[in-house]
Amino acid sequence: MARISCELRPEGLVSIAVEQRGNLLRGAFGTLFRRLVCDPACSDAAHCPRNGTCPHQLLFAPRWPAAAQLGLESPPRAFLFRPPLGPDPCFTGQRPLRFELRLFGEAISTAALFLRTFQLLAESRVGDRRIHLVSAYALDWSGNPCAELVRAGELTGEQPPALDFSSFFDDGSGPDAATIKFLSPTWLREKGRDLRVPTFPALVCRLRDRISMLCRFYQGQEWQATFAAIGQVASHTPTGDWEGSWVEYPRVSTRTGEEMPLGGFRGSVTYQGIDTRLRPLLRIGEEIHAGSQVVWGHGRFQIQSAAFRSVHQATWAVQ
């Protein structure tokens, strides 16, 4: 995985509510990226004549015949945006919009295309304002800059390093309960129904499947795990106290004009009796998000337990 911190500086005041930031980033990126890389004669990514080589197809309509056999419409996308979560909607030249872009596996090689796309915001505007991409840095796991990708609005030619999850394995000690704070709306399903409060089995199984799909599709390798056993172990963890609510708001596709709901649970849930073997899965989940609509920054959560932060030897790695 690669972490890229971007700074967008508007000319004047731009007001963006917290629930609309991921939608703005995803929507603007999709529209401008298509303009940057696609042949105007191409109808859509799913029918692109450059099958296997088109970056728009890789990111927006990846083809994988095995997905249908696994009950999936398509693989998970190889990127997500992490918009800021502060309540103040106002962004200016003195208070720029800072967000994080995360890329998985082979999509790391497309980082320059992402950055060039956001440079186009200076031409297309957001509302009636021009917005400039003034800087971008690759980050390490501690959040420290490790490579300068954009300087004074121009690409430097540097590439973001791939981070693996080898440090996310702990020694299995400490308490067996933790509170998980769902920072952005998290939409999970269990047995065909939407969960108004996330259960631990649903969270773990969704993370398990997401890790597996990212490995298979974007790294070309199988994740060596016993899937049924993970689900069985997670099923013994009950839901304790919780605080929060289900939030939902509409999104209109800029390409098709169709309306789709965005939303999920936002709040905190305490889970009791967590098997220590599942800790690495949860720690990785903090970084890759869980549930539906993660490309918008949804499904972001944080574990409120210091015991999950101890790290030791790795047994596998995912980029």
Side-chain angles (χ1 to χ4, degrees):
M1 187 181 86
R3 300 178 59 186
I4 302 173
S5 175
C6 302
E7 181 177 302
L8 296 174
R9 186 173 298 167
E11 295 180 357
L13 172 67
V14 173
S15 181
I16 313 171
V18 63
E19 65 271 11
Q20 292 299 326
R21 292 168 197 166
N23 187 33
L24 181 146
L25 292 170
R26 165 60 180 81
F29 172 74
T31 299
L32 297 175
F33 190 79
R34 180 177 173 83
R35 183 191 306 174
L36 179 68
V37 305
C38 289
D39 183 334
C42 181
S43 59
D44 60 70
H47 302 92
C48 178
R50 293 186 291 157
N51 182 26
T53 63
C54 173
H56 191 268
Q57 182 190 83
L58 167 68
L59 295 170
F60 288 93
R63 295 182 181 180
W64 191 30
Q69 301 174 13
L70 298 171
L72 301 173
E73 293 183 4
S74 63
R77 301 302 181 256
F79 68 96
L80 64 82
F81 296 109
R82 272 195 169 186
L85 299 175
D88 188 345
C90 299
F91 298 94
T92 66
Q94 291 70 45
R95 186 177 180 268
L97 172 64
R98 296 185 177 93
F99 70 93
E100 189 175 321
L101 166 67
R102 298 195 164 191
L103 302 174
F104 304 106
E106 63 184 81
I108 295 173
S109 64
T110 67
L113 290 176
F114 275 84
L115 298 174
R116 284 168 57 193
T117 298
F118 280 107
Q119 285 180 320
L120 295 177
L121 282 173
E123 303 172 11
S124 64
R125 300 172 180 258
V126 172
D128 61 347
R129 303 293 183 184
R130 296 184 185 275
I131 294 185
H132 300 272
L133 176 67
V134 295
S135 68
Y137 293 88
L139 304 178
D140 61 20
W141 280 130
S142 298
N144 299 315
C146 57
E148 188 175 22
L149 309 181
V150 173
R151 182 190 307 123
E154 299 297 328
L155 273 66
T156 64
E158 292 288 325
Q159 296 296 316
L163 306 173
D164 68 34
F165 292 85
S166 60
S167 63
F168 284 57
F169 289 78
D170 61 33
D171 59 5
S173 63
D176 64 354
T179 296
I180 293 182
K181 186 174 184 180
F182 295 92
L183 301 169
S184 63
T186 302
W187 197 321
L188 296 172
R189 294 178 63 82
E190 188 174 57
K191 297 178 180 178
R193 63 186 181 90
D194 297 329
L195 294 176
R196 272 5 195 194
V197 178
T199 67
F200 190 76
L203 175 62
V204 166
C205 288
R206 191 60 183 266
L207 285 173
R208 174 200 65 189
D209 296 345
R210 178 164 167 75
I211 291 171
S212 175
M213 293 302 102
L214 290 174
C215 285
R216 293 180 67 176
F217 193 72
Y218 299 109
Q219 287 188 243
Q221 64 186 45
E222 295 285 340
W223 180 42
Q224 301 301 315
T226 307
F227 285 64
I230 291 173
Q232 181 63 28
V233 170
S235 69
H236 299 302
T237 300
T239 300
D241 296 335
W242 62 273
E243 181 179 4
S245 62
W246 181 273
V247 296
E248 192 170 315
Y249 46 93
R251 169 190 176 264
V252 178
S253 170
T254 55
R255 186 177 67 86
T256 66
E258 295 180 356
E259 184 174 301
M260 62 173 287
L262 292 176
F265 175 84
R266 189 166 55 202
S268 299
V269 184
T270 298
Y271 302 106
Q272 304 288 343
I274 298 174
D275 192 294
T276 55
R277 292 172 293 178
L278 296 176
R279 285 188 185 163
L281 198 71
L282 295 172
R283 286 286 291 111
I284 292 170
E286 286 184 297
E287 307 300 334
I288 68 172
H289 299 205
S292 302
Q293 307 165 343
V294 296
V295 294
W296 285 268
H298 287 201
R300 180 178 175 183
F301 65 87
Q302 185 178 69
I303 305 165
Q304 308 288 299
S305 172
F308 282 78
R309 306 301 169 194
S310 59
V311 293
H312 277 271
Q313 182 178 359
T315 56
W316 57 278
V318 183
Q319 288 183 355

